[in-house]
Amino acid sequence: MNRDFIIAIDDLVKEKGISKDVLIEAIESALVSAYKKNYGTAQNVRVSIDREEGDVDVLMRRDVVEEVEDEFTEISLEEALEIDPRYEVGDVVEYQVTPKDFGRIAAQTAKQVVVQRIREAERGMIFDNYIDRQGDLITGVVQRISNETIFVNMGNTEGILVAGERAYGERYKVNDRIKAYIMDVRKSTKGPQVFLSRTHPGFVERLFELEVPEIEDGTVEIKSIAREAGSRTKIAVYTEDENVDPVGACVGTGGSRVKNIVDELFGEKIDITTWDEDPRILIKNVLSPAKVEEVMVDEEEKAATVVVPDYQLSLAIGKEGQNVRLAAKLCGWKIDIKSHTQYFGNEEYEEYDDEEYYEEDGIEYVEE
């Protein structure tokens, strides 16, 4: 190795952001192993590389002792004094044992170490980049599919989307463009692994941020999301701006904004409702599209009993209990739904006609 090698190392340090000392020390360590392997020795040696000129020296290291027990690692005081009269027991004697043909071995070994360290540095930078982007939305291209696992080309690395992180019925082909949520980033022997998801509630939240400027700029806040991927999502939104309708902002003119999200989710139904700090109002809201007569809450147990008109009971509970299940997740309360007759007996009641429920393009709205 020579001065040109050091110049090349300096260029790599600038380009890849690798520490020069760390790189040189790694090469020195590798050269010690290469020396012992090629020259079949158990000698105690170290390798020194000149940081300016690139010269490589192999130095034998032997401890000064009164009586030698291991000639590869120890030297008698008598022999040491012949080298330098200032040596004492406990000192370390170093002298050069660099083989004539060691330059070729050194160059080859250094190249291998540099390539390895560059790869490690690039993997480290990719990991640092994506660990900071955990929870973000990415758009990539389906690169390959193996045993239902989709590998997504994200530019400088590959994302992994397993079957369990896709909604039922989602199908992709190689070269399809795909959006996904960065769920987890892990280190492995093959480099960083970026795990993606399309079922995570955060995926829906990021899609709303893309479609709704009022969410992106903070005017409207997503307070909570409950999701059963591929079937239905409930989302509660809030704003402190009296001039902004948070639900209307998310729906968009003619439902345009939310329709784009529904299309991305392959027709998954989305209920958008208003968040309220009053649990009674919140629970009434999150049970939409069902109409609610009365909400009774137990603050200590964080449980609520909800009374709905008899004809609204099945709608409030939802198919296989989905509506009430998602509503409970959304507000964080246990919800027990009773029909008017179940709760009040046969006492007559008036039907509440202050709300109309309608569905359009798979999107559900509650109109007051």
Side-chain angles (χ1 to χ4, degrees):
M1 294 190 290
N2 51 31
R3 176 66 182 160
D4 291 339
F5 170 76
I6 295 297
I7 292 173
I9 290 290
D10 289 336
D11 290 341
L12 280 172
V13 166
K14 291 176 184 176
E15 182 184 345
K16 302 295 183 181
I18 308 171
S19 165
K20 182 177 180 178
D21 286 337
V22 169
L23 185 55
I24 294 291
E25 286 168 11
I27 295 172
E28 289 173 341
S29 177
L31 288 177
V32 170
S33 298
Y35 175 83
K36 291 183 176 181
K37 178 181 177 182
N38 283 273
Y39 297 97
T41 178
Q43 293 172 337
N44 182 21
V45 298
R46 76 176 180 91
V47 173
S48 173
I49 298 175
D50 189 298
R51 265 59 167 176
E52 300 299 325
E53 300 301 324
D55 295 331
V56 179
D57 292 320
V58 181
L59 302 171
M60 168 94 61
R61 296 169 58 87
R62 297 168 76 181
D63 297 326
V64 179
V65 295
E66 288 283 0
E67 186 176 342
V68 176
E69 294 181 0
D70 184 347
E71 63 180 13
F72 289 115
T73 61
E74 297 173 340
I75 185 174
S76 68
L77 177 60
E78 183 180 347
E79 287 182 89
L81 291 174
E82 290 177 6
I83 298 171
D84 189 321
R86 292 173 295 180
Y87 279 126
E88 297 177 357
V89 172
D91 287 343
V92 176
V93 174
E94 279 193 336
Y95 50 91
Q96 192 171 140
V97 291
T98 310
K100 289 182 180 180
D101 63 343
F102 194 64
R104 175 184 56 81
I105 295 170
Q108 187 178 26
T109 303
K111 181 181 177 181
Q112 292 171 348
V113 172
V114 169
V115 169
Q116 181 183 353
R117 286 300 168 127
I118 289 173
R119 190 179 295 119
E120 289 173 359
E122 288 174 341
R123 287 174 174 176
M125 286 186 283
I126 291 170
F127 178 83
D128 292 342
N129 176 34
Y130 282 99
I131 198 72
D132 289 340
R133 292 182 61 191
Q134 209 165 347
D136 284 355
L137 195 69
I138 63 98
T139 300
V141 176
V142 176
Q143 185 165 287
R144 58 193 175 94
I145 302 172
S146 175
N147 298 325
E148 295 296 312
T149 296
I150 293 176
F151 295 89
V152 181
N153 183 353
M154 303 192 300
N156 58 356
T157 193
E158 196 174 61
I160 302 168
L161 180 63
V162 300
E165 293 301 329
R166 300 195 304 278
Y168 178 77
E170 288 190 359
R171 295 289 182 268
Y172 290 95
K173 304 185 300 295
V174 173
N175 294 326
D176 281 353
R177 292 191 68 78
I178 185 171
K179 284 189 176 73
Y181 177 85
I182 299 177
M183 179 178 62
D184 192 16
V185 183
R186 303 174 196 165
K187 287 184 177 178
S188 76
T189 54
K190 295 181 179 180
Q193 292 184 313
V194 181
F195 292 91
L196 307 176
S197 175
R198 284 181 54 87
T199 63
H200 197 287
F203 181 55
V204 175
E205 183 173 357
R206 295 295 174 261
L207 290 175
F208 270 96
E209 288 176 358
L210 278 180
E211 293 291 338
V212 184
E214 291 86 347
I215 292 178
E216 201 276 333
D217 67 19
T219 304
V220 173
E221 180 184 354
I222 296 175
K223 283 286 192 177
S224 182
I225 292 180
R227 186 181 183 206
E228 293 185 0
S231 179
R232 184 182 295 270
T233 288
K234 282 183 178 285
I235 176 171
V237 292
Y238 173 80
T239 183
E240 293 184 354
D241 191 331
E242 296 179 357
N243 299 314
V244 175
D245 171 16
V247 174
C250 294
V251 171
T253 306
S256 58
R257 290 176 176 174
V258 74
K259 185 178 185 304
N260 289 336
I261 298 171
V262 170
D263 289 344
E264 175 62 38
L265 299 176
F266 295 91
E268 184 173 315
K269 290 181 171 58
I270 298 178
D271 301 335
I272 307 171
T273 190
T274 305
W275 177 271
D276 200 289
E277 293 300 329
D278 185 333
R280 293 172 181 82
I281 298 174
L282 176 62
I283 291 168
K284 179 183 176 182
N285 290 347
V286 299
L287 281 170
S288 67
K291 300 173 183 177
V292 173
E293 289 183 12
E294 194 170 346
V295 179
M296 291 145 287
V297 299
D298 182 336
E299 297 277 359
E300 286 187 8
E301 295 294 327
K302 211 169 184 184
T305 300
V306 177
V307 180
V308 300
D310 287 11
Y311 71 98
Q312 290 277 293
L313 181 62
S314 60
L315 182 62
I317 294 172
K319 185 178 180 180
E320 297 178 351
Q322 185 184 64
N323 191 57
V324 66
R325 187 167 59 247
L326 286 174
K329 285 182 184 177
L330 192 70
C331 65
W333 283 67
K334 295 176 184 176
I335 299 176
D336 182 23
I337 296 182
K338 302 287 187 183
S339 70
H340 182 97
T341 300
Q342 286 173 333
Y343 193 80
F344 293 107
N346 292 321
E347 177 185 329
E348 291 187 4
Y349 63 93
E350 296 181 5
E351 293 184 0
Y352 287 76
D353 295 322
D354 59 329
E355 295 180 350
E356 286 186 20
Y357 157 68
Y358 67 95
E359 181 174 325
E360 182 179 301
D361 295 327
I363 307 155
E364 297 183 347
Y365 306 93
V366 176
E367 207 172 67
E368 298 185 0

